[in-house]
Amino acid sequence: MTTILRLPTEPERLTIPALLLRNAEDHGDRPALSWRASDGGDDGGWTTLTWREVRHEAAVLAAGYSALGVERGEQVLMMMGNRAEHWLSDLALTHLGAVPVSVYGTAAPGQIVHIARHSRARLAIVEGVRERERWEPLLADASVPLEKLVVVEPADAGQHRSYGSLRGTGERLRSEEAFDKGWRETRAQDPLTVVYTSGTTGDPKAVPITHRSVVVNALALDRVVELPDHVEHICYLPFAHIAERMLGIYLPVFRASHVHLCADAAAVAATARALHPAQFFGVPRVWEKLAASVRAALATLPEEQRTAIEEASATAREHVASRERGERPSAGLEAAYRAAKETVLDPLLTLAGFERLVWTASASAPMPLDVVRFWAGFGIVVMDAWGLTETVGVFTTNSPSAFRLGSVGRPLEGLELRIADDGEILVRGETVFTGYLLADGTVDGALDADGWFATGDIGHVDDDGYLWLTDRKKEMIITSTGKNVSPALVENTLKEHPLIGQALVHGDGRSYLVALLVLDAEMTPAWAAARGIEGDPAGHPAVLEEIASAVDAANARLNRTEQIKRYRVLTGEWGPETGELTPSLKLRRRVIRDQYGEVLDALYGEDGA
């Protein structure tokens, strides 16, 4: 739990601006925000603002946006990467009482139109020419209220207002009295932001989030999370996602911690190597890729060294297992673990920048158990959590004092969950929203008469109160024989083999399942090189034979309905840019099924089963 915090008023009355003032007064010289022009992974090139300087910048930008006509209560749209202008503009708009709304940079044209129309925003702040060209047509669309664009990159502004000129205006007009008066009119129950869900089907839904719900969630998290004072956070997920909005903006303001912006998500590993952070959050796909990278590197080591690492990892897993059971490791196990950590594991973790980690977490989708166990072999317990945009992020989480590998933990204090008859997870509590925001500003209630929200996730709670996720309700496969199958369960079982980086299972309305298997881009070349295979390993008989063995091994662990009968091996990783993954790196199943429709049909052959 954070111990340095002074809460400037009662928790139920706190707002983000009040916390920022606290930071400027109590921790004004501490670093708050760092970024660099290039995320190449080197140790230099960081620009840093202290908490006092951050508040000054917020005041300057607030004056600039006010002069542009931004008013209390109106939504302002932002399409930028993880850069300082995005982060600072968010806080500035909040101080005006406006409602900053981040839009995914990968949003489809139809989604952008929908959000612009639904939000009734008059202003959008965009990064450069690519974003400007996507938003400009909306200025001439009579059905869209959008009136103005602010462009961050000065060379790309064209006829529109540049961020630099807006900041210059704010510097000239800034008034401490007006700035202070503006944010003090904000109440805890006022909207802090609106998050548009990134659903794979239909228009995004608008989830309104208040200052109070964010603060309540931060306080509950702080009771179970043990972090160093002013801990650093690598911020690389989109701000349009509730996870990064909480982890990268609101929790750092609450904790007076230090945000390092990573503009390129592909550079997160390099950034970790440079910073050696004490905490790290990654969605499952990030942990999978990091594990694949480490596995690929380990595969190149001499056998004697690999054996020493395997022995040290076995000791670490035994240590983690003892803690998982709620036991205190024996003196002998503690000594063996400390020796393994000091002599074998920490030197390896140092290469990845992970040797200082005291808190590691994941959320967004079920974490493959083999990935969790892999990191446990380094003494790293990934504290899997679960929540939704509609619950202001984290609802359940594991903690160092109480965890179960593979589960998503237990509810935070003051929150309740129960499982419906069909397995759907229902939630209730102060951080659960009341309903979706409609275009006319009213809220469409989403809770039942007793205050429960149906999450759309399927899961179960064990005897100790830990929640275990199965899958999304709408993604469950129902075979032609009426059997229900969780595709995520089957996919994660297949991905336990290091050569299978991604997988999609298909079979709704069919008599058996088929799969698309994507070779891991890092592990496959290393595996092939270790066996003397030259050239492109993708179609090599030895690789295909290994994949066949991997499928057989997975099938042996699955029941008959869950087993894969046929599959196709693919190359070329799926990603958000090519449309197969959401911005939070979850599978867009419909997109993949449409893209590979002929391949999937061919896997069923003439029988069409």
Side-chain angles (χ1 to χ4, degrees):
M1 180 172 180
T2 306
T3 59
I4 61 169
L5 298 178
R6 170 181 65 87
L7 297 183
T9 186
E10 296 85 354
E12 62 271 13
R13 296 175 57 193
L14 276 174
T15 64
I16 291 298
L19 289 168
L20 183 59
L21 175 60
R22 184 275 315 271
N23 291 351
E25 291 176 342
D26 294 3
H27 313 288
D29 294 329
R30 298 290 310 185
L33 183 70
S34 295
W35 70 93
R36 55 187 175 196
S38 172
D39 284 287
D42 55 86
D43 293 321
W46 290 97
T47 298
T48 298
L49 295 179
T50 64
W51 280 111
R52 186 177 296 110
E53 291 168 334
V54 161
R55 192 168 188 274
H56 171 81
E57 282 297 311
V60 168
L61 291 171
Y65 286 120
S66 179
L68 202 59
V70 174
E71 299 176 353
R72 174 172 294 277
E74 72 172 311
Q75 294 186 39
V76 177
L77 305 179
M78 299 187 290
M79 182 180 276
M80 294 175 275
N82 294 36
R83 53 188 299 162
E85 295 87 350
H86 196 158
W87 200 87
L88 294 167
S89 290
D90 202 288
L91 288 179
L93 292 165
T94 296
H95 279 73
L96 287 176
V99 183
V101 178
S102 296
V103 181
Y104 287 110
T106 55
Q111 291 175 322
I112 294 174
V113 173
H114 169 76
I115 292 172
R117 189 177 292 142
H118 185 276
S119 67
R120 296 169 294 155
R122 296 182 299 122
L123 173 67
I125 310 162
V126 301
E127 183 161 338
V129 65
R130 177 179 175 272
E131 293 77 19
R132 188 199 77 195
E133 290 176 348
R134 299 170 71 188
W135 288 84
E136 274 181 330
L138 302 185
L139 296 172
D141 187 335
S143 70
V144 177
L146 195 66
E147 298 173 359
K148 301 173 184 176
L149 297 182
V150 170
V151 182
V152 172
E153 292 292 343
D156 297 335
Q159 62 182 342
H160 305 288
R161 187 70 177 271
S162 73
Y163 178 90
S165 69
L166 178 137
R167 188 191 178 283
T169 298
E171 192 73 82
R172 292 193 303 273
L173 299 179
R174 183 178 71 87
S175 161
E176 190 64 35
E177 181 180 356
F179 179 65
D180 194 58
K181 179 179 182 296
W183 75 260
R184 288 189 185 278
E185 292 178 2
T186 298
R187 298 292 176 260
Q189 64 269 26
D190 290 341
L192 173 59
T193 188
V194 172
V195 176
Y196 283 85
T197 61
S198 62
T200 57
T201 60
D203 290 327
K205 293 181 178 180
V207 179
I209 293 173
T210 66
H211 291 260
R212 175 175 290 161
S213 60
V214 164
V215 171
V216 168
N217 188 258
L219 285 165
L221 275 172
D222 209 47
R223 295 186 187 104
V224 297
V225 176
E226 300 171 6
L227 292 171
D229 293 346
H230 306 292
V231 69
E232 55 279 288
H233 169 66
I234 299 176
C235 172
Y236 65 96
L237 292 171
F239 285 126
H241 192 278
I242 187 60
E244 196 64 270
R245 186 152 280 278
M246 284 296 296
L247 291 167
I249 303 177
Y250 304 142
L251 284 174
V253 172
F254 176 79
R255 293 173 174 155
S257 52
H258 185 186
V259 177
H260 285 80
L261 297 174
C262 180
D264 180 5
V268 65
T271 304
R273 287 195 297 271
L275 296 178
H276 299 264
Q279 70 163 348
F280 185 80
F281 175 87
V283 295
R285 184 59 186 152
V286 169
W287 285 111
E288 289 172 22
K289 287 185 67 64
L290 289 171
S293 179
V294 174
R295 281 170 167 149
L298 296 180
T300 65
L301 298 176
E303 183 177 354
E304 181 179 348
Q305 194 170 355
R306 291 202 307 273
T307 299
I309 294 170
E310 289 167 4
E311 292 174 352
S313 292
T315 300
R317 289 191 187 96
E318 186 179 353
H319 189 270
V320 168
S322 177
R323 293 168 52 203
E324 185 179 16
R325 292 190 299 268
E327 302 171 356
R328 183 174 182 176
S330 67
L333 176 57
E334 188 68 39
Y337 172 63
R338 293 301 167 192
K341 186 172 172 59
E342 181 178 347
T343 60
V344 180
L345 301 179
D346 274 357
L348 291 172
L349 290 174
T350 299
L351 298 177
F354 279 178
E355 81 286 357
R356 291 181 56 239
L357 287 176
V358 297
W359 179 267
T360 50
S362 182
S364 180
M367 176 78 108
L369 190 54
D370 78 301
V371 176
V372 178
R373 288 173 175 156
F374 173 82
W375 289 110
F378 287 88
I380 294 176
V381 181
V382 180
M383 299 297 170
D384 217 350
W386 170 80
L388 309 166
T389 304
E390 293 86 345
T391 65
V392 194
V394 174
F395 194 93
T396 68
T397 187
N398 287 282
S399 69
S401 60
F403 65 90
R404 294 288 186 275
L405 297 183
S407 83
V408 291
R410 298 189 283 202
L412 295 176
E413 185 177 324
L415 303 179
E416 302 174 82
L417 70 80
R418 65 182 178 88
I419 306 299
D421 292 340
D422 63 354
E424 185 171 8
I425 304 168
L426 309 180
V427 296
R428 183 168 67 179
E430 190 172 355
T431 60
V432 179
F433 82 144
T434 57
Y436 296 101
L437 187 66
L438 301 178
D440 63 3
T442 61
V443 172
D444 182 17
L447 309 183
D448 70 12
D450 295 319
W452 292 98
F453 174 64
T455 65
D457 280 342
I458 301 292
H460 71 276
V461 177
D462 66 20
D463 293 339
D464 295 317
Y466 289 88
L467 177 64
W468 299 76
L469 294 184
T470 301
D471 215 321
R472 290 291 291 170
K473 186 175 181 178
K474 65 182 180 182
E475 292 179 353
M476 293 290 288
I477 292 172
I478 303 177
T479 67
S480 61
T481 58
K483 301 290 186 180
N484 288 346
V485 177
S486 163
L489 168 67
V490 181
E491 289 156 1
N492 284 343
T493 304
L494 289 164
K495 289 190 298 180
E496 289 193 14
H497 194 286
L499 290 189
I500 301 176
Q502 294 169 303
L504 177 126
V505 172
H506 177 71
D508 205 45
R510 304 279 194 166
S511 62
Y512 60 84
L513 304 184
V514 299
L516 301 176
L517 308 177
V518 181
L519 292 176
D520 188 273
E522 294 187 66
M523 190 62 200
T524 304
W527 186 92
R531 288 155 181 79
I533 298 172
E534 298 180 353
D536 183 5
H540 195 280
V543 173
L544 298 180
E545 183 178 344
E546 185 69 15
I547 294 296
S549 297
V551 173
D552 288 343
N555 282 340
R557 297 175 51 198
L558 298 167
N559 66 43
R560 186 176 182 85
T561 305
E562 296 166 338
Q563 292 173 354
I564 299 300
K565 185 171 181 180
R566 296 172 183 166
Y567 61 91
R568 177 70 60 85
V569 177
L570 308 174
T571 57
E573 191 174 83
W574 295 331
E577 298 78 11
T578 47
E580 299 93 352
L581 301 186
T582 69
S584 56
L585 306 183
K586 291 182 285 190
L587 291 177
R588 290 190 187 274
R589 297 183 183 278
R590 189 179 68 175
V591 171
I592 297 173
R593 286 195 296 264
D594 289 346
Q595 185 175 342
Y596 293 94
E598 293 184 1
V599 175
L600 292 169
D601 288 343
L603 288 173
Y604 285 100
E606 295 182 359
D607 56 13

